[in-house]
């Protein structure tokens, strides 16, 4: 590989890192028109297709490049793209199966409403057969076991489930299983004006990415009123942005215990994922 080839690959990789996939693709396509049999350019095309998620086409280009010059395509890239291409093919039917889960759950719910728990459980078994970690199917499955008198098994299924991760439409099954009165969980705390002002300032600092200033505001607010959920939420965001994912997750849990609707669900899942990586 000569210097011009290295410059080309560097330019394409830079555009890909900047997520300018179309720009990278245009550069490569223009060069391919001029040099259709240049192994380095063909490999650059493979890089573009890989970045855009078209793994089968990327593999095709990588193999074409290797047939011209086997040393152009690094073994690590080739092995990775072979795996991605094969895995993408295997996952295709799974994706179409997953799209059936909502209707399967609905059929199971209809049977629950009619008190036919044995039949309903079969639908939730089927949903979990497609996606074992589907929270809604798991909760409904446990609900059926509970209704059929198998209470110990039902609770074993849901003991480790996080209520906040369940679709709100299915919470009634979980709450009934766990003996939770949703009305009792209603947050009706009235914020002090000083606390509200400090939290407004804190969230303003967060938007400007002034994390330490934001955290100072939320800490002051908590000293004024540790029963107010807003500074707890603010602290969770601050800790997340500072990279303290486990502490951020603890703050999220604390906020949820105070008010189930206080934390954005997508943010919660993001924090939980990061915290689990640390552990």
């Amino acid at each position: 590989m000569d210097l011009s080839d290295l410059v080309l690959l560097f330019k394409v990789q830079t555009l890909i890192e900047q997520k300018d996939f179309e720009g990278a693709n245009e550069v490569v396509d223009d060069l391919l028109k001029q040099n259709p049999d240049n192994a380095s350019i063909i490999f650059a095309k493979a890089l573009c297709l890989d970045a855009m998620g078209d793994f089968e086409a990327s593999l095709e280009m990588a193999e074409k490049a290797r047939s011209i010059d086997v040393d152009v395509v690094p073994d690590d890239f080739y092995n990775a793209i072979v795996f991605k291409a094969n895995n993408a093919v295997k996952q295709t039917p799974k994706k179409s199966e997953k799209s059936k889960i909502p209707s399967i759950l609905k059929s199971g719910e209809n049977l629950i409403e009619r008190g036919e728990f044995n039949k309903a459980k079969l639908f939730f078994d089927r949903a979990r057969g497609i996606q074992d970690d589907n929270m809604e199917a798991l909760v409904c499955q446990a609900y059926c076991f509970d209704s059929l008198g198998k209470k110990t098994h039902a609770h074993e299924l849901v003991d480790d489930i996080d209520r906040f991760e369940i679709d709100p439409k299915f919470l009634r099954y979980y709450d009934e299983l766990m003996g939770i009165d949703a009305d009792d969980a209603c947050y009706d705390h009235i914020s002090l004006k000083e606390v509200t002002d400090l939290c407004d300032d804190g969230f303003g600092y967060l938007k400007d990415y002034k994390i330490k200033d934001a955290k100072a505001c939320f800490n002051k607010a908590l000293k004024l009123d540790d029963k107010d959920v807003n500074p707890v939420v603010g602290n969770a965001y601050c800790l997340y942005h500072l990279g303290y994912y486990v502490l951020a997750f603890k703050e999220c849990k604390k906020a949820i215990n105070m008010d189930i609707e206080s934390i954005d669900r997508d943010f919660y899942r993001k924090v939980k994922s990061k915290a689990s990586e640390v552990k």
Side-chain angles (χ1 to χ4, degrees), residues 1-18 20 23-25 27-28 31-32 38-49 51 61-62 65 69 71-74 77:
M1 190 182 293
D2 61 26
L3 182 59
S4 61
D5 291 335
L6 288 170
V7 171
L8 160 68
L9 289 176
F10 178 76
K11 183 176 182 181
V12 170
Q13 286 174 327
T14 300
L15 288 168
I16 289 172
E17 286 170 7
Q18 294 170 348
D20 185 2
N25 212 31
V27 170
V28 173
L31 289 167
L32 274 175
N38 184 296
S40 295
I41 299 173
I42 295 169
F43 173 48
K45 180 69 175 179
L47 289 173
C48 291
L49 291 165
M61 288 292 106
D69 182 352
D71 294 325
V72 162
V73 182
F77 176 84

mmCIF file of all heavy atoms in Angstrom, residues 1-18 20 23-25 27-28 31-32 38-49 51 61-62 65 69 71-74 77:
data_model
loop_
_atom_site.group_PDB
_atom_site.id
_atom_site.type_symbol
_atom_site.label_atom_id
_atom_site.label_comp_id
_atom_site.label_asym_id
_atom_site.label_seq_id
_atom_site.Cartn_x
_atom_site.Cartn_y
_atom_site.Cartn_z
ATOM 1 N N MET A 1 0.856 -1.191 0.000
ATOM 2 C CA MET A 1 0.000 0.000 0.000
ATOM 3 C C MET A 1 0.892 1.241 0.000
ATOM 4 O O MET A 1 1.713 1.406 0.889
ATOM 5 C CB MET A 1 -0.902 -0.002 1.241
ATOM 6 C CG MET A 1 -1.990 1.060 1.214
ATOM 7 S SD MET A 1 -3.004 1.057 2.721
ATOM 8 C CE MET A 1 -3.844 -0.497 2.572
ATOM 9 N N ASP A 2 0.737 2.098 -1.050
ATOM 10 C CA ASP A 2 1.608 3.265 -1.124
ATOM 11 C C ASP A 2 1.014 4.444 -0.353
ATOM 12 O O ASP A 2 -0.070 4.351 0.224
ATOM 13 C CB ASP A 2 1.902 3.653 -2.584
ATOM 14 C CG ASP A 2 0.634 4.024 -3.351
ATOM 15 O OD1 ASP A 2 -0.344 4.458 -2.714
ATOM 16 O OD2 ASP A 2 0.619 3.868 -4.597
ATOM 17 N N LEU A 3 1.741 5.566 -0.358
ATOM 18 C CA LEU A 3 1.343 6.734 0.443
ATOM 19 C C LEU A 3 -0.023 7.268 0.038
ATOM 20 O O LEU A 3 -0.840 7.621 0.891
ATOM 21 C CB LEU A 3 2.406 7.832 0.304
ATOM 22 C CG LEU A 3 2.149 9.105 1.118
ATOM 23 C CD1 LEU A 3 2.062 8.772 2.601
ATOM 24 C CD2 LEU A 3 3.242 10.125 0.862
ATOM 25 N N SER A 4 -0.304 7.310 -1.276
ATOM 26 C CA SER A 4 -1.596 7.849 -1.738
ATOM 27 C C SER A 4 -2.757 6.993 -1.239
ATOM 28 O O SER A 4 -3.836 7.503 -0.919
ATOM 29 C CB SER A 4 -1.627 7.935 -3.263
ATOM 30 O OG SER A 4 -1.474 6.643 -3.841
ATOM 31 N N ASP A 5 -2.532 5.657 -1.170
ATOM 32 C CA ASP A 5 -3.571 4.763 -0.656
ATOM 33 C C ASP A 5 -3.827 5.020 0.829
ATOM 34 O O ASP A 5 -4.972 5.032 1.290
ATOM 35 C CB ASP A 5 -3.164 3.295 -0.848
ATOM 36 C CG ASP A 5 -3.160 2.888 -2.320
ATOM 37 O OD1 ASP A 5 -3.884 3.523 -3.101
ATOM 38 O OD2 ASP A 5 -2.431 1.945 -2.665
ATOM 39 N N LEU A 6 -2.743 5.232 1.570
ATOM 40 C CA LEU A 6 -2.866 5.512 3.001
ATOM 41 C C LEU A 6 -3.607 6.818 3.248
ATOM 42 O O LEU A 6 -4.451 6.921 4.151
ATOM 43 C CB LEU A 6 -1.487 5.571 3.647
ATOM 44 C CG LEU A 6 -0.755 4.230 3.800
ATOM 45 C CD1 LEU A 6 0.682 4.463 4.234
ATOM 46 C CD2 LEU A 6 -1.463 3.341 4.805
ATOM 47 N N VAL A 7 -3.318 7.830 2.438
ATOM 48 C CA VAL A 7 -3.996 9.125 2.553
ATOM 49 C C VAL A 7 -5.486 8.965 2.276
ATOM 50 O O VAL A 7 -6.340 9.527 2.979
ATOM 51 C CB VAL A 7 -3.372 10.161 1.594
ATOM 52 C CG1 VAL A 7 -4.216 11.432 1.559
ATOM 53 C CG2 VAL A 7 -1.946 10.486 2.014
ATOM 54 N N LEU A 8 -5.802 8.165 1.244
ATOM 55 C CA LEU A 8 -7.203 7.915 0.897
ATOM 56 C C LEU A 8 -7.940 7.264 2.065
ATOM 57 O O LEU A 8 -9.017 7.716 2.473
ATOM 58 C CB LEU A 8 -7.277 7.007 -0.335
ATOM 59 C CG LEU A 8 -8.609 6.255 -0.545
ATOM 60 C CD1 LEU A 8 -9.709 7.240 -0.897
ATOM 61 C CD2 LEU A 8 -8.477 5.187 -1.608
ATOM 62 N N LEU A 9 -7.359 6.185 2.622
ATOM 63 C CA LEU A 9 -8.014 5.480 3.727
ATOM 64 C C LEU A 9 -8.175 6.375 4.942
ATOM 65 O O LEU A 9 -9.201 6.328 5.633
ATOM 66 C CB LEU A 9 -7.211 4.227 4.098
ATOM 67 C CG LEU A 9 -7.263 3.075 3.086
ATOM 68 C CD1 LEU A 9 -6.357 1.945 3.533
ATOM 69 C CD2 LEU A 9 -8.679 2.573 2.916
ATOM 70 N N PHE A 10 -7.173 7.203 5.196
ATOM 71 C CA PHE A 10 -7.251 8.121 6.335
ATOM 72 C C PHE A 10 -8.412 9.107 6.134
ATOM 73 O O PHE A 10 -9.173 9.381 7.064
ATOM 74 C CB PHE A 10 -5.936 8.889 6.484
ATOM 75 C CG PHE A 10 -5.959 9.893 7.608
ATOM 76 C CD1 PHE A 10 -5.860 9.484 8.933
ATOM 77 C CD2 PHE A 10 -6.112 11.253 7.344
ATOM 78 C CE1 PHE A 10 -5.906 10.396 9.964
ATOM 79 C CE2 PHE A 10 -6.152 12.168 8.374
ATOM 80 C CZ PHE A 10 -6.044 11.747 9.690
ATOM 81 N N LYS A 11 -8.545 9.626 4.905
ATOM 82 C CA LYS A 11 -9.620 10.586 4.618
ATOM 83 C C LYS A 11 -10.987 9.932 4.796
ATOM 84 O O LYS A 11 -11.899 10.512 5.409
ATOM 85 C CB LYS A 11 -9.479 11.119 3.189
ATOM 86 C CG LYS A 11 -10.512 12.171 2.833
ATOM 87 C CD LYS A 11 -10.271 12.750 1.439
ATOM 88 C CE LYS A 11 -11.304 13.837 1.125
ATOM 89 N NZ LYS A 11 -11.100 14.405 -0.225
ATOM 90 N N VAL A 12 -11.129 8.719 4.275
ATOM 91 C CA VAL A 12 -12.407 8.015 4.385
ATOM 92 C C VAL A 12 -12.726 7.708 5.850
ATOM 93 O O VAL A 12 -13.848 7.927 6.320
ATOM 94 C CB VAL A 12 -12.379 6.709 3.555
ATOM 95 C CG1 VAL A 12 -13.608 5.853 3.852
ATOM 96 C CG2 VAL A 12 -12.311 7.032 2.064
ATOM 97 N N GLN A 13 -11.734 7.222 6.605
ATOM 98 C CA GLN A 13 -11.951 6.893 8.012
ATOM 99 C C GLN A 13 -12.292 8.139 8.831
ATOM 100 O O GLN A 13 -13.108 8.081 9.746
ATOM 101 C CB GLN A 13 -10.720 6.198 8.584
ATOM 102 C CG GLN A 13 -10.585 4.757 8.098
ATOM 103 C CD GLN A 13 -9.295 4.100 8.538
ATOM 104 O OE1 GLN A 13 -8.264 4.764 8.649
ATOM 105 N NE2 GLN A 13 -9.328 2.802 8.786
ATOM 106 N N THR A 14 -11.688 9.273 8.459
ATOM 107 C CA THR A 14 -11.992 10.530 9.154
ATOM 108 C C THR A 14 -13.448 10.921 8.934
ATOM 109 O O THR A 14 -14.160 11.304 9.869
ATOM 110 C CB THR A 14 -11.067 11.669 8.657
ATOM 111 O OG1 THR A 14 -9.714 11.312 8.926
ATOM 112 C CG2 THR A 14 -11.396 12.971 9.375
ATOM 113 N N LEU A 15 -13.911 10.806 7.683
ATOM 114 C CA LEU A 15 -15.310 11.132 7.374
ATOM 115 C C LEU A 15 -16.261 10.181 8.099
ATOM 116 O O LEU A 15 -17.310 10.595 8.588
ATOM 117 C CB LEU A 15 -15.544 11.063 5.860
ATOM 118 C CG LEU A 15 -14.922 12.195 5.036
ATOM 119 C CD1 LEU A 15 -14.972 11.878 3.550
ATOM 120 C CD2 LEU A 15 -15.637 13.522 5.311
ATOM 121 N N ILE A 16 -15.879 8.913 8.187
ATOM 122 C CA ILE A 16 -16.715 7.933 8.892
ATOM 123 C C ILE A 16 -16.786 8.259 10.378
ATOM 124 O O ILE A 16 -17.852 8.222 10.992
ATOM 125 C CB ILE A 16 -16.170 6.501 8.669
ATOM 126 C CG1 ILE A 16 -16.427 6.056 7.232
ATOM 127 C CG2 ILE A 16 -16.826 5.511 9.640
ATOM 128 C CD1 ILE A 16 -15.762 4.751 6.846
ATOM 129 N N GLU A 17 -15.640 8.611 10.978
ATOM 130 C CA GLU A 17 -15.612 8.985 12.402
ATOM 131 C C GLU A 17 -16.467 10.211 12.672
ATOM 132 O O GLU A 17 -17.046 10.356 13.753
ATOM 133 C CB GLU A 17 -14.166 9.246 12.836
ATOM 134 C CG GLU A 17 -13.344 7.968 12.997
ATOM 135 C CD GLU A 17 -11.871 8.256 13.198
ATOM 136 O OE1 GLU A 17 -11.505 9.447 13.337
ATOM 137 O OE2 GLU A 17 -11.075 7.297 13.209
ATOM 138 N N GLN A 18 -16.558 11.106 11.661
ATOM 139 C CA GLN A 18 -17.402 12.297 11.782
ATOM 140 C C GLN A 18 -18.856 11.983 11.466
ATOM 141 O O GLN A 18 -19.698 12.868 11.448
ATOM 142 C CB GLN A 18 -16.891 13.394 10.847
ATOM 143 C CG GLN A 18 -15.511 13.923 11.232
ATOM 144 C CD GLN A 18 -14.914 14.837 10.174
ATOM 145 O OE1 GLN A 18 -15.406 14.919 9.044
ATOM 146 N NE2 GLN A 18 -13.843 15.528 10.525
ATOM 147 N N ASP A 20 -20.066 11.241 8.696
ATOM 148 C CA ASP A 20 -20.439 11.731 7.367
ATOM 149 C C ASP A 20 -20.318 10.562 6.394
ATOM 150 O O ASP A 20 -19.430 10.510 5.544
ATOM 151 C CB ASP A 20 -19.521 12.888 6.952
ATOM 152 C CG ASP A 20 -19.949 13.523 5.618
ATOM 153 O OD1 ASP A 20 -20.985 13.083 5.052
ATOM 154 O OD2 ASP A 20 -19.240 14.427 5.137
ATOM 155 N N GLY A 23 -20.701 11.437 2.692
ATOM 156 C CA GLY A 23 -19.502 12.108 2.179
ATOM 157 C C GLY A 23 -18.396 11.103 1.893
ATOM 158 O O GLY A 23 -17.741 11.161 0.838
ATOM 159 N N ALA A 24 -18.198 10.169 2.816
ATOM 160 C CA ALA A 24 -17.180 9.132 2.631
ATOM 161 C C ALA A 24 -17.512 8.269 1.425
ATOM 162 O O ALA A 24 -16.643 7.938 0.608
ATOM 163 C CB ALA A 24 -17.081 8.263 3.882
ATOM 164 N N ASN A 25 -18.782 7.924 1.295
ATOM 165 C CA ASN A 25 -19.225 7.081 0.187
ATOM 166 C C ASN A 25 -19.028 7.770 -1.160
ATOM 167 O O ASN A 25 -18.631 7.139 -2.150
ATOM 168 C CB ASN A 25 -20.695 6.717 0.389
ATOM 169 C CG ASN A 25 -21.019 5.349 -0.160
ATOM 170 O OD1 ASN A 25 -20.168 4.464 -0.166
ATOM 171 N ND2 ASN A 25 -22.226 5.164 -0.626
ATOM 172 N N VAL A 27 -16.782 10.103 -1.917
ATOM 173 C CA VAL A 27 -15.339 10.121 -2.217
ATOM 174 C C VAL A 27 -14.913 8.798 -2.830
ATOM 175 O O VAL A 27 -14.227 8.749 -3.862
ATOM 176 C CB VAL A 27 -14.519 10.399 -0.933
ATOM 177 C CG1 VAL A 27 -13.025 10.174 -1.188
ATOM 178 C CG2 VAL A 27 -14.746 11.821 -0.447
ATOM 179 N N VAL A 28 -15.354 7.696 -2.205
ATOM 180 C CA VAL A 28 -14.958 6.370 -2.661
ATOM 181 C C VAL A 28 -15.559 6.061 -4.031
ATOM 182 O O VAL A 28 -14.870 5.542 -4.923
ATOM 183 C CB VAL A 28 -15.374 5.296 -1.637
ATOM 184 C CG1 VAL A 28 -15.112 3.902 -2.173
ATOM 185 C CG2 VAL A 28 -14.631 5.494 -0.334
ATOM 186 N N LEU A 31 -13.727 7.767 -6.813
ATOM 187 C CA LEU A 31 -12.426 7.139 -7.063
ATOM 188 C C LEU A 31 -12.578 5.783 -7.750
ATOM 189 O O LEU A 31 -11.757 5.399 -8.587
ATOM 190 C CB LEU A 31 -11.660 6.983 -5.753
ATOM 191 C CG LEU A 31 -11.139 8.296 -5.138
ATOM 192 C CD1 LEU A 31 -10.676 8.067 -3.712
ATOM 193 C CD2 LEU A 31 -9.991 8.854 -5.978
ATOM 194 N N LEU A 32 -13.657 5.071 -7.394
ATOM 195 C CA LEU A 32 -13.882 3.764 -8.015
ATOM 196 C C LEU A 32 -14.178 3.874 -9.506
ATOM 197 O O LEU A 32 -13.832 2.985 -10.291
ATOM 198 C CB LEU A 32 -15.036 3.034 -7.307
ATOM 199 C CG LEU A 32 -14.674 2.217 -6.066
ATOM 200 C CD1 LEU A 32 -15.923 1.661 -5.416
ATOM 201 C CD2 LEU A 32 -13.724 1.081 -6.417
ATOM 202 N N ASN A 38 -8.736 -0.981 -8.070
ATOM 203 C CA ASN A 38 -7.781 -0.619 -7.035
ATOM 204 C C ASN A 38 -8.226 -1.228 -5.702
ATOM 205 O O ASN A 38 -9.290 -0.896 -5.173
ATOM 206 C CB ASN A 38 -7.676 0.907 -6.914
ATOM 207 C CG ASN A 38 -6.625 1.330 -5.908
ATOM 208 O OD1 ASN A 38 -6.741 1.055 -4.720
ATOM 209 N ND2 ASN A 38 -5.599 2.020 -6.388
ATOM 210 N N ALA A 39 -7.426 -2.140 -5.159
ATOM 211 C CA ALA A 39 -7.806 -2.874 -3.946
ATOM 212 C C ALA A 39 -8.025 -1.955 -2.752
ATOM 213 O O ALA A 39 -8.937 -2.168 -1.940
ATOM 214 C CB ALA A 39 -6.731 -3.910 -3.614
ATOM 215 N N SER A 40 -7.222 -0.907 -2.631
ATOM 216 C CA SER A 40 -7.353 0.009 -1.491
ATOM 217 C C SER A 40 -8.666 0.786 -1.543
ATOM 218 O O SER A 40 -9.317 1.000 -0.521
ATOM 219 C CB SER A 40 -6.171 0.988 -1.465
ATOM 220 O OG SER A 40 -4.967 0.300 -1.236
ATOM 221 N N ILE A 41 -9.051 1.196 -2.753
ATOM 222 C CA ILE A 41 -10.316 1.926 -2.906
ATOM 223 C C ILE A 41 -11.496 1.000 -2.640
ATOM 224 O O ILE A 41 -12.487 1.388 -2.007
ATOM 225 C CB ILE A 41 -10.418 2.560 -4.311
ATOM 226 C CG1 ILE A 41 -9.271 3.557 -4.534
ATOM 227 C CG2 ILE A 41 -11.762 3.275 -4.475
ATOM 228 C CD1 ILE A 41 -9.185 4.101 -5.941
ATOM 229 N N ILE A 42 -11.374 -0.231 -3.110
ATOM 230 C CA ILE A 42 -12.449 -1.207 -2.869
ATOM 231 C C ILE A 42 -12.580 -1.477 -1.372
ATOM 232 O O ILE A 42 -13.688 -1.582 -0.828
ATOM 233 C CB ILE A 42 -12.177 -2.512 -3.647
ATOM 234 C CG1 ILE A 42 -12.218 -2.242 -5.157
ATOM 235 C CG2 ILE A 42 -13.214 -3.582 -3.284
ATOM 236 C CD1 ILE A 42 -11.702 -3.374 -6.010
ATOM 237 N N PHE A 43 -11.443 -1.560 -0.670
ATOM 238 C CA PHE A 43 -11.475 -1.747 0.780
ATOM 239 C C PHE A 43 -12.112 -0.536 1.469
ATOM 240 O O PHE A 43 -12.882 -0.679 2.422
ATOM 241 C CB PHE A 43 -10.063 -1.974 1.326
ATOM 242 C CG PHE A 43 -9.987 -2.006 2.824
ATOM 243 C CD1 PHE A 43 -10.870 -2.772 3.583
ATOM 244 C CD2 PHE A 43 -9.039 -1.250 3.500
ATOM 245 C CE1 PHE A 43 -10.804 -2.791 4.971
ATOM 246 C CE2 PHE A 43 -8.969 -1.262 4.888
ATOM 247 C CZ PHE A 43 -9.853 -2.036 5.623
ATOM 248 N N ALA A 44 -11.818 0.663 0.949
ATOM 249 C CA ALA A 44 -12.437 1.874 1.502
ATOM 250 C C ALA A 44 -13.955 1.805 1.357
ATOM 251 O O ALA A 44 -14.704 2.241 2.237
ATOM 252 C CB ALA A 44 -11.881 3.110 0.805
ATOM 253 N N LYS A 45 -14.411 1.245 0.236
ATOM 254 C CA LYS A 45 -15.853 1.068 0.027
ATOM 255 C C LYS A 45 -16.415 0.101 1.078
ATOM 256 O O LYS A 45 -17.517 0.317 1.614
ATOM 257 C CB LYS A 45 -16.110 0.521 -1.381
ATOM 258 C CG LYS A 45 -17.568 0.290 -1.720
ATOM 259 C CD LYS A 45 -18.333 1.598 -1.860
ATOM 260 C CE LYS A 45 -19.764 1.348 -2.331
ATOM 261 N NZ LYS A 45 -20.531 2.601 -2.456
ATOM 262 N N ALA A 46 -15.647 -0.953 1.382
ATOM 263 C CA ALA A 46 -16.069 -1.906 2.417
ATOM 264 C C ALA A 46 -16.210 -1.216 3.768
ATOM 265 O O ALA A 46 -17.146 -1.482 4.527
ATOM 266 C CB ALA A 46 -15.063 -3.058 2.506
ATOM 267 N N LEU A 47 -15.279 -0.304 4.077
ATOM 268 C CA LEU A 47 -15.343 0.454 5.330
ATOM 269 C C LEU A 47 -16.618 1.290 5.400
ATOM 270 O O LEU A 47 -17.283 1.353 6.434
ATOM 271 C CB LEU A 47 -14.122 1.368 5.461
ATOM 272 C CG LEU A 47 -12.767 0.705 5.739
ATOM 273 C CD1 LEU A 47 -11.647 1.739 5.663
ATOM 274 C CD2 LEU A 47 -12.764 0.027 7.106
ATOM 275 N N CYS A 48 -16.948 1.955 4.274
ATOM 276 C CA CYS A 48 -18.164 2.789 4.230
ATOM 277 C C CYS A 48 -19.409 1.948 4.463
ATOM 278 O O CYS A 48 -20.283 2.304 5.263
ATOM 279 C CB CYS A 48 -18.279 3.492 2.877
ATOM 280 S SG CYS A 48 -17.040 4.750 2.600
ATOM 281 N N LEU A 49 -19.495 0.834 3.755
ATOM 282 C CA LEU A 49 -20.686 -0.029 3.865
ATOM 283 C C LEU A 49 -20.819 -0.608 5.277
ATOM 284 O O LEU A 49 -21.931 -0.735 5.798
ATOM 285 C CB LEU A 49 -20.599 -1.153 2.831
ATOM 286 C CG LEU A 49 -20.738 -0.692 1.374
ATOM 287 C CD1 LEU A 49 -20.286 -1.793 0.418
ATOM 288 C CD2 LEU A 49 -22.183 -0.290 1.078
ATOM 289 N N ALA A 51 -19.789 0.884 8.031
ATOM 290 C CA ALA A 51 -20.236 1.989 8.888
ATOM 291 C C ALA A 51 -21.729 2.262 8.714
ATOM 292 O O ALA A 51 -22.409 2.670 9.648
ATOM 293 C CB ALA A 51 -19.439 3.252 8.562
ATOM 294 N N MET A 61 -17.329 -6.480 -0.771
ATOM 295 C CA MET A 61 -16.250 -5.582 -1.181
ATOM 296 C C MET A 61 -14.905 -6.005 -0.566
ATOM 297 O O MET A 61 -13.861 -5.949 -1.229
ATOM 298 C CB MET A 61 -16.572 -4.143 -0.756
ATOM 299 C CG MET A 61 -17.673 -3.473 -1.544
ATOM 300 S SD MET A 61 -17.221 -3.137 -3.261
ATOM 301 C CE MET A 61 -18.171 -4.406 -4.108
ATOM 302 N N ALA A 62 -14.939 -6.424 0.696
ATOM 303 C CA ALA A 62 -13.706 -6.847 1.362
ATOM 304 C C ALA A 62 -13.102 -8.058 0.659
ATOM 305 O O ALA A 62 -11.879 -8.143 0.458
ATOM 306 C CB ALA A 62 -13.982 -7.167 2.826
ATOM 307 N N ALA A 65 -11.572 -6.985 -2.614
ATOM 308 C CA ALA A 65 -10.284 -6.325 -2.389
ATOM 309 C C ALA A 65 -9.199 -7.361 -2.092
ATOM 310 O O ALA A 65 -8.076 -7.276 -2.608
ATOM 311 C CB ALA A 65 -10.394 -5.327 -1.242
ATOM 312 N N ASP A 69 -5.541 -8.002 -3.728
ATOM 313 C CA ASP A 69 -4.350 -7.880 -2.882
ATOM 314 C C ASP A 69 -4.738 -8.308 -1.463
ATOM 315 O O ASP A 69 -5.405 -7.556 -0.738
ATOM 316 C CB ASP A 69 -3.839 -6.434 -2.900
ATOM 317 C CG ASP A 69 -2.573 -6.249 -2.069
ATOM 318 O OD1 ASP A 69 -2.186 -7.205 -1.364
ATOM 319 O OD2 ASP A 69 -1.993 -5.149 -2.105
ATOM 320 N N ASP A 71 -3.238 -8.467 1.249
ATOM 321 C CA ASP A 71 -2.711 -7.703 2.382
ATOM 322 C C ASP A 71 -3.444 -6.384 2.626
ATOM 323 O O ASP A 71 -3.213 -5.736 3.656
ATOM 324 C CB ASP A 71 -1.223 -7.404 2.163
ATOM 325 C CG ASP A 71 -0.379 -8.675 2.178
ATOM 326 O OD1 ASP A 71 -0.735 -9.589 2.947
ATOM 327 O OD2 ASP A 71 0.601 -8.748 1.407
ATOM 328 N N VAL A 72 -4.312 -5.969 1.702
ATOM 329 C CA VAL A 72 -4.995 -4.674 1.825
ATOM 330 C C VAL A 72 -6.014 -4.681 2.967
ATOM 331 O O VAL A 72 -6.163 -3.707 3.692
ATOM 332 C CB VAL A 72 -5.684 -4.289 0.491
ATOM 333 C CG1 VAL A 72 -6.731 -3.201 0.716
ATOM 334 C CG2 VAL A 72 -4.650 -3.805 -0.504
ATOM 335 N N VAL A 73 -6.710 -5.793 3.126
ATOM 336 C CA VAL A 73 -7.764 -5.878 4.142
ATOM 337 C C VAL A 73 -7.199 -6.538 5.404
ATOM 338 O O VAL A 73 -6.827 -7.714 5.373
ATOM 339 C CB VAL A 73 -8.967 -6.695 3.637
ATOM 340 C CG1 VAL A 73 -10.072 -6.738 4.697
ATOM 341 C CG2 VAL A 73 -9.502 -6.113 2.335
ATOM 342 N N PRO A 74 -7.121 -5.805 6.525
ATOM 343 C CA PRO A 74 -6.607 -6.396 7.771
ATOM 344 C C PRO A 74 -7.453 -7.595 8.216
ATOM 345 O O PRO A 74 -8.676 -7.594 8.047
ATOM 346 C CB PRO A 74 -6.718 -5.249 8.785
ATOM 347 C CG PRO A 74 -6.784 -4.011 7.960
ATOM 348 C CD PRO A 74 -7.486 -4.392 6.700
ATOM 349 N N PHE A 77 -10.407 -6.763 10.573
ATOM 350 C CA PHE A 77 -11.599 -6.214 9.912
ATOM 351 C C PHE A 77 -12.338 -7.324 9.177
ATOM 352 O O PHE A 77 -13.566 -7.432 9.275
ATOM 353 C CB PHE A 77 -11.221 -5.110 8.928
ATOM 354 C CG PHE A 77 -12.410 -4.585 8.145
ATOM 355 C CD1 PHE A 77 -13.230 -3.606 8.679
ATOM 356 C CD2 PHE A 77 -12.732 -5.116 6.905
ATOM 357 C CE1 PHE A 77 -14.344 -3.143 7.990
ATOM 358 C CE2 PHE A 77 -13.845 -4.664 6.201
ATOM 359 C CZ PHE A 77 -14.647 -3.666 6.741
#
